[in-house]
Amino acid sequence: MTKQPRVSFGWLGLTVIALASAQNLDKFTVTGELAKKALVKGEINVATAEKLSQVCVEFARQRKLEVANVILAPSGEVVYAYRMDGNAQSPFIMETAMLRAKTALSRHQSTRALYNAAEGNGDLSREIRYFATPNTYAVPGGVPIIVDDQMIGAMGTSGMGDPDEDCVYEALTKVIGPQPKRVPKLLRPKQFSPGAPQGEQPAAPPPQR
């Protein structure tokens, strides 16, 4: 008789935790009748995607820069895309934002991680392999969107250069909350140089693309 209430309380506690987790995920994804209609669940909703873009746009405006943002669903479909007037009007800027989002989505990791493993490594053969692989654009600025350990989409940002990635993380943190630990920036990223012995490539700053 004394053990039964304890067992029941334990299950109740687990249920409450599970419900809290689901509610957090539901806040940012397509749910209910909309999910049934689309036959999709666990996909970032438009309201959240728009908020992410708005934070990133404000980030750019404060620095007198322009930016283009693309937010994709786990299926790869575009949920939200926006570009500011000015430099971001370039079709190339919008395309690179898309490529970054697609890369983060297909690789389940930030494009910073790929950059560190390829171009920033100073190894030309690895760089060629990364850039020649379909749906891979190893330039910082693309990040998977994670909620309750589930990937609900991906965001790609382009137009500002090095601050692109900072913009994405600021948006994700403000709108969704804490994200997985960021891949650190290389302190001395390397640039491949045919005339330099292996391991002695000259240091170069990250590309401004």
Side-chain angles (χ1 to χ4, degrees), residues 127-142:
E127 182 177 345
I128 291 174
R129 288 199 301 273
Y130 273 91
F131 278 93
T133 303
N135 292 326
T136 299
Y137 188 66
V139 179

Side-chain angles (χ1 to χ4, degrees), residues 70-85:
V70 174
I71 294 94
L72 301 178
S75 63
E77 292 295 317
V78 176
V79 176
Y80 193 87
Y82 181 87
R83 62 155 178 77
M84 296 174 66
D85 293 333

Side-chain angles (χ1 to χ4, degrees), residues 169-182:
Y169 276 103
E170 180 165 318
L172 291 174
T173 301
K174 285 186 174 181
V175 176
I176 293 177
Q179 293 292 297
K181 187 177 180 181
R182 289 181 63 172

Side-chain angles (χ1 to χ4, degrees), residues 138-183:
V139 179
V143 177
I145 303 170
I146 309 296
V147 177
D148 292 341
D149 298 323
Q150 297 294 311
M151 187 173 70
I152 65 171
M155 180 173 181
T157 292
S158 182
M160 296 183 293
D162 198 46
D164 287 333
E165 183 182 48
D166 297 328
C167 175
V168 174
Y169 276 103
E170 180 165 318
L172 291 174
T173 301
K174 285 186 174 181
V175 176
I176 293 177
Q179 293 292 297
K181 187 177 180 181
R182 289 181 63 172
V183 176

